[in-house]
Amino acid sequence: MKRIMCMTAVLSGLSLLTYAQLPSKKPLDHSVYDSWQSIGSKSISNNGQWIAYTITPQEGDASLVIYNSRTQQQLTVPRGYNAVITEDNHYVVFLIKAPFADIRQAKIRKKKVADMPKDSLGIITLGNNKIEKIPSVRSFSTPEKAGGLVAYLAEKPKADTASGHLIIRQLDKKLQDTIRNVQNYLFSKPGNRLLAEVIADKKDSLSTGAMLLWDVTTRKTDTLSLGTADRKQLAFDEKGEQAAWYSSRDSAKALQQFYQLCYYRMGQDTATIAAARNTSGIPSGWSVNPNGKVWFSRNGERLFFGTAPIQPPKDTSIIDFEVAKVDIWNYKDDYLQPMQLKNLDKELKRSYQALYYPASGRVLQLADKDMENISIADEGNCPYAMGYTDKGQRLPMQWTGHSLKTIYTVNLENGNRRMVQPDLDSLSHISPSGRFIAWYNLKEKQWYTYENETNTTRNITASIPASMAEEDDDHPDMPGPYGTGGWMINDEFIFIYDRYDIWKVDPTGKIAPQMLTGGTGRQQQLRFRTLKLTREERFFKTNQPMLLETYSEITKENGFYTVNSTKKSLPQKVVFGPYTYGDPVKADEADNLIFTKASYVLSPDLYTGTSPDKAVQVSHINPQQKEYNWGTVELFKWTAYNGKPAEGILYKPEDFDSTKKYPVLLYFYEKLTDGLYSYQPPSPTPSRLNIPFFVSRGYLVLVPDVTYEPGHPGKGAYDYIVSGARALARHPWADSTNMGIQGQSWGGYQVAYLVTKTKLFKAAWAGAPVANMTSAYGGIRWESGMNRQFQYERSQSRIGATLWEKPELYIENSPLFYLPDVTTPLAIMSNDADGAVPWYQGIELFTGLRRLGKPVWLLNYNNEAHNLIQRQNRKDISRREQQFFDYFLKGAPAPEWIESGVPATEKGRNWGW
């Protein structure tokens, strides 16, 4: 143990070994991570005056901030989260989490759930900033379209944790009601009523379960259903005049549970059974499925719910330890066994869409095993829906990565379906009002619509001169579309993207497509995309000013432009520059909006104003950043070895001195220059390079974009990455004798490939690399259960052929076959629970290099995923990456894990740092 402490002491003084003198600001170290902050959830009041947002450290206690945009005053509530500003702009309701330190200690002491520290409820009256705190609250709810109302579930004594006491508060009137033993509850959208599921109190033999309806005006409850039952999926219609839920009176221990759809309309004495397993309209051998969502159409005339085939009861005669445990793989299976097993729970719970008409009591089964999926138009009132299935087309998923779909239009009045398009090799969707089904044809590179009323199919983009397909896609497959940007009201037009501009397209084909952005996008290489700014904005309206998210392919700058949805006019710049902007949200009843703004040197802070160019800064997170030697960012350009222009991001320390030499790290994946102005907080890494950390400590970091040629992905990496490194090395301040490379996943593969092709790099770190494409080709991606063939033939690996068609390409691109040429020390992270790249790929790489006597290390974080999840593991690998590169590129002392390793006998006691 003394040896470890001495090594740590030595490493803590690594700043003495840097190339430059000590900076005026201190370098980042591993102690800074936990306190580094980000903006969490955020919301703006309907009138635009109030903003509620959380400031969240990476580890520790968050804070809730309430900001008044008129007075610029703010109130901070320690540990507040999940804030809701009520509809009337008068209150903020939120939860207050127990202190992080208390929760940590409770976990250390392995306390039961009932004994863990509890959340509290907070209520702030806006304007006077009074905070009311209510202890031991499990959850709360406010109505979406009514103010001054809140219901919260208060914890009961730990002896009975299945339910709580529901407290309903009318805040303006200072009225309070209580419903005891509530397990689940729901406000109607207008806040006129509340459903409450009550369960029996185990301590009271006279109590029983029930579904209650509480009325806000009378403050009384009606019993809609009485008796012990399992009730779930509570739903109201838009007006709060109808309610529905699932119910089963079968015991949870019963071999089979049968559910019913319960329905209630105001004026009825009690709820009625709308659908059950023997109801007309439900297929024989099927029943109501409690896993299907229950919801009403917007006009309240339709009630949607789920059904499914009845599962056979569990065979209690089977003795578990006497039967075989076996998975049988059959070549005729729709899905491979691993995929079936991965999706087993999902399939057992699969729900098929059904429909109930409250006025007539009719039930229609919409989906079935021949057409499993139904997409209902957003308005929910139209007579049509879209159905689709990939039945009979699933086998090719093994090598294509996706399946062909057959889409249907489904008549919601009678359940009849009509085939719209067979063998569709792309996604499709139904328009908001349900008049059209739209899809992209991959082969023709065109958008189509189907008009439900006239049964007419049209190519709606054939006359557009720009390509609808991705122009710069370098995969050996048909390029996908740029996508769509939403619909106009009443489905009058659909907005479709090309690479830069937005087209306003008539889905009936009667009006020629209009370029909404007037060609400005392609002329200036600006990428325009639509934004929806409020929760209710399901479509765009006539003459609506539209805020467009905008990005420059040339400068990588970002910002906003505006354009009118109807009038012919060029887009007008609102704000644009070397920043990134995120998540704009507008107040429902005012022009005020909130958004985040950031750059590499500016934390993503919150801003508000009536327009992005008139916004003021609300938050000021991470003030401690100014104490540290941060960094600068610039676009770096050169010519790749294939003769094509290349570009990447170059990060330099804030105290950069062009008269000195700096060690260089290269990090890469595919194309990352879109993020030139993105903020990168210092945080423990899942396995990627911790760029701000290394830049702060005196490294240059180059992030090159890579363009690939199908069949030769390794050569593509070499052409761009090595040429970029050598172009940078031509500058006297870049130390060409101390260059390292780091990559994760696809980047890890490229690291492994590059060390077999060049001696340029002095150290290399590969996270989750593929070493042998021939052995990886037929394997399984265990996180999805899918076979890996599609990835090599059509997707990221870009080989473009099967292993037996072009084995030479698989060998050419596999680092394993060229390990004798490696001279670069290599560290590998390969985890035994990796669901994307099998960890034996890292083992093949390690054991091959080990046999050849090459310096190589392998880190296997036990039970960890492709990218590290556990924070303690992220902190560990962050420290090891620093030690590794400091040792090879700065001449720092070698830590124990590099010099001599850590024996299994010392695991958990000695980390070799």
Side-chain angles (χ1 to χ4, degrees), residues 177-198:
D177 295 278
T178 302
I179 304 176
R180 301 175 64 83
N181 304 321
V182 172
Q183 182 169 260
N184 197 9
Y185 61 101
L186 177 73
F187 264 123
S188 64
K189 188 175 287 188
N192 52 352
R193 295 178 181 89
L194 177 143
L195 278 175
E197 178 198 3
V198 173

Side-chain angles (χ1 to χ4, degrees), residues 387 406-410 417-423 450 455 457:
T406 298
I407 55 177
Y408 300 84
T409 181
V410 181
R417 62 185 68 161
R418 180 192 297 268
M419 183 188 294
V420 173
Q421 180 69 29
D423 302 335
Y450 174 86
N455 303 322
T457 299

Side-chain angles (χ1 to χ4, degrees), residues 37 603 620-627:
Q37 299 166 329
S603 290
H620 297 81
I621 61 174
N622 298 319
Q624 76 277 17
Q625 181 178 309
K626 65 180 181 295
E627 302 172 10

